[in-house]
Amino acid sequence: MYKSQLSANNSEEFKDVIGRFPNKFGNRLFYFLLAIVTISFLLGWFIKSPDVVLAEVIVTAKKPPLILVSKTQGKIKIKTPRDAQKICKGEYIAVIENTANEDHIKALKDSLNKFSFTSIPKFDEYTFALKYNLGEIQNLYFDFLKNIYELNQFYSDNKFDIEISSLNEQVNKIKSSISKRKEIINYKNRGIKISKEKSVIDSFLVDKGAIIVPEYEQSKKQLFRELDEKATQENEIIRDKLNIITSSKKAIGLTIEKKETLEKLTIDLLTKYQNLINSINDWENTFVFQAPFDGTFEYLRFVSNGDFIKQGEPIISILPSNNKIIGNAYMPIDGAGKVRINHGVVIKLDTYPYQEYGTLTGVIKSISAVPYKDLYLVNLDIPNGLKSNNNIELNFSKEMKGQAEIITEDKRLISRVFKKIKHAFDRKRNNEIIPKQEKPSE
């Protein structure tokens, strides 16, 4: 039936070819085409391709690079060469020529950073900079060194402690003398008691005529002498107690004076130390290109020793070490509804062709709730940093622009084919409906 239909609808030549076409070959061709269709269907079913939303992206660091700008003009002296990219905190990269020697000031600052007020600073530990060229910092260094010398002299002379010790020893001697005088008074009291009793007896004997009057007078004199000596000892005790009060007050006064002197020397030393540190920091801020943190650096222009640098000219860029690489993407509103947090992102950088260097892998961390100028702001986390999928470590620059492919879902290949066919039919039907709707108005 199939052949007869072909014969009826085609020319004589075609009928002749079909008539001579072997049935066995036709069957093979049919099964071959059926196999191709089946394999294509299976491949379309099992093979999946990602559905992506494109966005512009800027890859940067969480801590942006710091630009070091010249604070003054003058000739530059390179301390760290261009090829030594890694830098440690506090290291001098370059210096603008001035009256001070930067190595001398750096050595002094390193020594001052070890300074501690919990112990007595030793004068000899800070005299090493006497021959250094410190420029405008020289006088402040001398003031600091002088104060350390005065503090050391205060402890070495120990004059306050010597005087206080002498006064305390004097007080102890007076207390010992008072104890002895009290013993003498006790002895005198016993003598006075005996003399009083003898005087009473002698008075009775005189009245009886048993003894003569001179003997009685002699006993009375002995009593008065004992009483006088007792009064003398008591007066001495009073005088000794007054001396103790005077010496104790003087010792207390010296103790207070010692404390005040030590506090003044300590406060002066702290002030001189802080003035010196501040002056060094001001000098560094003016003349030195210094690393404020560990990281990597690069010169922003070709610089050689002796080049003249203008004030306000950016010279060096420093990127902190252990810095986290992130991405800031600008996603259009078309298809934005399919994008979710934790969706994967493939980043292709403009400065590194992905065919040669590969791509970066990112993850969406946050999406702005409201678009701005028809763009959503998307924050990306880049776990592997600047290491591409080709295992190449890319060099960082301040703002690395590129394209972000946000992978929303994996779709089967056959689904995409049918979707495109359906979309084509829908568009054709819409194009046919529109003219029909326009005809009545004509």
Side-chain angles (χ1 to χ4, degrees):
M1 179 180 177
Y2 178 70
K3 284 187 176 182
S4 61
Q5 188 177 0
L6 285 175
S7 300
N9 297 332
N10 293 282
S11 62
E12 293 293 331
E13 291 82 1
F14 182 77
K15 293 177 183 178
D16 183 57
V17 171
I18 291 298
R20 289 182 286 126
F21 202 78
N23 292 334
K24 190 175 183 180
F25 180 77
N27 292 334
R28 287 180 181 179
L29 180 61
F30 171 76
Y31 288 121
F32 177 73
L33 293 175
L34 181 62
I36 290 178
V37 171
T38 303
I39 292 172
S40 298
F41 179 81
L42 292 175
L43 290 175
W45 179 263
F46 288 107
I47 295 177
K48 296 180 180 181
S49 64
D51 190 14
V52 299
V53 174
L54 300 180
E56 293 182 1
V57 67
I58 297 177
V59 175
T60 183
K62 195 168 186 179
K63 298 177 183 176
L66 178 66
I67 306 299
L68 299 184
V69 178
S70 177
K71 299 296 179 62
T72 187
Q73 63 181 15
K75 294 182 179 180
I76 194 170
K77 184 191 294 185
I78 304 298
K79 301 296 294 183
T80 304
R82 183 183 294 272
D83 54 357
Q85 290 189 354
K86 289 189 176 180
I87 198 77
C88 297
K89 181 181 179 179
E91 193 172 341
Y92 290 179
I93 305 174
V95 178
I96 301 296
E97 287 186 357
N98 58 95
T99 57
N101 184 302
E102 63 277 0
D103 294 330
H104 291 171
I105 291 185
K106 187 70 167 61
L108 176 60
K109 184 178 182 181
D110 291 341
S111 178
L112 291 174
N113 286 335
K114 301 174 185 176
F115 186 83
S116 174
F117 285 94
T118 58
S119 59
I120 303 170
K122 295 181 180 179
F123 178 74
D124 294 339
E125 292 181 356
Y126 297 94
T127 55
F128 67 91
L130 283 171
K131 296 181 180 179
Y132 280 5
N133 177 18
L134 303 177
E136 59 191 34
I137 302 172
Q138 198 88 42
N139 291 334
L140 292 174
Y141 164 71
F142 286 147
D143 290 341
F144 171 73
L145 195 63
K146 177 186 174 185
N147 201 264
I148 292 181
Y149 175 78
E150 291 174 350
L151 189 61
N152 278 258
Q153 285 296 111
F154 171 83
Y155 283 106
S156 62
D157 291 347
N158 207 18
K159 65 178 184 178
F160 286 102
D161 289 338
I162 292 173
E163 290 186 32
I164 292 170
S165 178
S166 176
L167 289 170
N168 290 333
E169 186 178 351
Q170 184 180 346
V171 168
N172 290 332
K173 287 181 178 180
I174 294 174
K175 287 180 178 180
S176 178
S177 175
I178 289 174
S179 298
K180 290 179 180 180
R181 291 184 189 281
K182 286 181 178 180
E183 291 177 1
I184 294 173
I185 289 174
N186 291 333
Y187 175 75
K188 291 296 180 182
N189 285 333
R190 289 194 296 270
I192 290 170
K193 183 179 180 182
I194 294 170
S195 296
K196 283 182 177 180
E197 292 175 352
K198 188 176 182 304
S199 177
V200 172
I201 294 171
D202 287 348
S203 174
F204 179 75
L205 292 174
V206 167
D207 292 339
K208 297 295 183 178
I211 62 170
I212 59 175
V213 174
E215 289 181 2
Y216 171 66
E217 293 292 334
Q218 186 66 31
S219 64
K220 287 179 67 176
K221 287 181 180 179
Q222 179 64 29
L223 176 60
F224 291 147
R225 190 165 40 251
E226 295 287 347
L227 290 171
D228 185 60
E229 288 178 359
K230 177 187 175 184
T232 301
Q233 293 299 323
E234 288 175 343
N235 290 334
E236 288 298 327
I237 288 174
I238 293 171
R239 189 179 297 110
D240 287 344
K241 287 182 177 179
L242 290 174
N243 289 334
I244 288 175
I245 293 172
T246 302
S247 298
S248 298
K249 284 183 177 180
K250 193 173 181 181
I252 293 171
L254 287 172
T255 303
I256 294 172
E257 186 180 352
K258 174 190 174 183
K259 183 182 178 182
E260 291 176 347
T261 304
L262 180 59
E263 287 177 351
K264 184 178 182 304
L265 288 172
T266 305
I267 291 172
D268 287 346
L269 180 60
L270 176 61
T271 303
K272 300 293 174 53
Y273 170 82
Q274 200 60 51
N275 289 341
L276 182 57
I277 287 292
N278 290 340
S279 182
I280 291 175
N281 290 337
D282 290 341
W283 177 86
E284 288 179 336
N285 189 49
T286 303
F287 297 105
V288 180
F289 297 96
Q290 184 181 21
F293 40 72
D294 296 343
T296 56
F297 80 96
E298 62 179 358
Y299 289 95
L300 300 178
R301 49 163 284 192
F302 292 105
V303 180
S304 302
N305 273 320
D307 286 354
F308 187 84
I309 303 298
K310 296 179 181 179
Q311 183 177 359
E313 187 175 359
I315 301 297
I316 296 167
S317 172
I318 303 179
L319 182 68
S321 58
N322 300 324
N323 205 356
K324 189 176 182 181
I325 302 299
I326 60 173
N328 299 321
Y330 300 91
M331 179 177 64
I333 58 176
D334 294 337
K338 299 185 291 183
V339 178
R340 298 287 184 271
I341 292 175
N342 292 328
H343 275 170
V345 182
V346 176
I347 301 172
K348 300 176 181 178
L349 297 175
D350 296 341
T351 50
Y352 292 96
Y354 70 93
Q355 299 90 340
E356 181 180 354
Y357 293 93
T359 60
L360 301 180
T361 302
V363 178
I364 293 179
K365 300 305 292 182
S366 67
I367 306 170
S368 64
V370 179
Y372 176 71
K373 294 184 178 180
D374 293 337
L375 294 173
Y376 285 95
L377 302 181
V378 181
N379 294 322
L380 308 178
D381 189 12
I382 305 177
N384 298 327
L386 293 178
K387 195 171 187 178
S388 71
N389 62 341
N390 288 351
N391 205 28
I392 299 175
E393 190 71 33
L394 308 180
N395 293 325
F396 179 83
S397 59
K398 188 175 181 181
E399 288 189 350
M400 307 170 74
K401 295 183 179 181
Q403 186 182 62
E405 296 180 355
I406 303 172
I407 302 172
T408 58
E409 59 178 331
D410 288 336
K411 286 188 176 181
R412 302 183 190 279
L413 189 61
I414 193 169
S415 173
R416 290 184 176 277
V417 172
F418 281 115
K419 187 175 181 181
K420 287 183 179 290
I421 294 173
K422 181 178 179 299
H423 179 70
F425 275 110
D426 289 343
R427 187 169 58 182
K428 182 179 179 181
R429 186 171 62 243
N430 291 336
N431 291 337
E432 291 175 352
I433 292 173
I434 290 171
K436 290 179 179 179
Q437 292 177 344
E438 292 177 351
K439 282 183 180 180
S441 62
E442 291 176 0

